[in-house]
Amino acid sequence: MVGVSTGKYDFAINWFFKNPEREEKFLYPAHEYGYSLTALVTQKSRNDIKTLDDMADKKFPPVSATGGLRAILNAYNKEHATKPLTLESIDNPSTAENLKLVDKGKADAIFLNVTTFNEVQKQLKLNLKVGGIVSKEPTWLVFNKNNQKLADEIDKATVKLKNDGTLENLAEKWFKVNFFKDLKYINQQNFNFQD
C-alpha cells in the first residue's frame, strides 16, 4: 500500500478493509467489490462454537494487536463489556501455528478469514472445520488520492458487474459461496468451501 500512497501505483486490490486511518491516506470508491468472510475455525468434532458469543469462556490462540480481524474482536468486546472475549496479543502471529494449537486442543477456536484458512489448510490438512461464519466484511480497492477519475470508472464497472450477477457468479465459482447474500443464508450452507 506504500506504493499507492506515494503514487508509484494507481491502486491496489486485496482484502482491504476500510478504516479512518486508511481513509486519510487513500481514496475509496463508493462500492465494495466483495466481502471477506470471517469465521471461527474449530476441531471437526466440535459443534459448540458457531458465534463469538460461544467463545466468551473459551481460549483463542494469540492474535495480532492490530489489523482488521482484531478490530472486529475489539468491537465485539466493546459491545459485550460484561462478558468480553479473552485475547492474548503477540506481534506477527503465525496462522499455521495457531491452527495447529486449535488442532491439538490447546485453543478452542481461531478467528480467521475463510480464504486464509482454506489456503493454509490445503498444506496442513488438519482435523479442523469452519464452525460458523461470524461476519462478512466489505473489501475495497484503494486508490491514490489523485486518481478520482479512475476510482469512479472502476466503481461504475463494479456496480455493473454486481447488477448483472457477474460478481455473485464469481464468488460461487472461486469461493464456493455467494458472499453477496446475507449472513443467515451463508451460515445455512455446509461450509464445505474447500475443493
Side-chain angles (χ1 to χ4, degrees), residues 157-168:
T158 300
V159 170
K160 182 180 177 190
L161 293 171
K162 272 186 184 179
N163 290 342
D164 71 11
T166 299
L167 291 182
E168 288 188 9

Side-chain angles (χ1 to χ4, degrees), residues 12 88 90:
E88 176 189 345
I90 64 169

Side-chain angles (χ1 to χ4, degrees), residues 36-41 49-55 60 69 72-73 76 80 85 109-114 130-137 182-184 186-187 191 193:
S36 168
L37 298 179
T38 61
L40 289 165
V41 175
I49 299 173
K50 296 182 182 347
T51 70
L52 288 178
D53 291 345
D54 299 330
M55 287 297 293
F60 283 102
L69 294 173
I72 295 166
L73 296 174
Y76 176 91
H80 300 83
L85 304 170
I110 181 173
F111 184 58
L112 196 59
N113 174 285
V114 170
V130 172
I133 303 295
V134 173
S135 69
K136 58 179 234 178
E137 303 297 324
D182 63 30
L183 270 182
K184 183 177 179 183
I186 293 168
N187 272 306
F191 303 129
F193 298 125

Side-chain angles (χ1 to χ4, degrees), residues 82-124:
T82 59
K83 202 168 183 183
L85 304 170
T86 303
L87 303 172
E88 176 189 345
S89 298
I90 64 169
D91 289 334
N92 302 315
S94 164
T95 299
E97 292 306 312
N98 279 348
L99 286 168
K100 289 176 187 176
L101 290 175
V102 175
D103 184 60
K104 293 175 187 171
K106 295 182 179 181
D108 295 290
I110 181 173
F111 184 58
L112 196 59
N113 174 285
V114 170
T115 305
T116 302
F117 168 62
N118 286 341
E119 289 305 308
V120 177
Q121 179 69 341
K122 284 178 188 175
Q123 301 299 316
L124 298 179

Side-chain angles (χ1 to χ4, degrees), residues 42-61:
T42 65
Q43 291 177 336
K44 285 184 179 176
S45 60
R46 294 193 77 156
N47 294 311
D48 61 326
I49 299 173
K50 296 182 182 347
T51 70
L52 288 178
D53 291 345
D54 299 330
M55 287 297 293
D57 297 318
K58 295 182 176 68
K59 183 174 177 158
F60 283 102

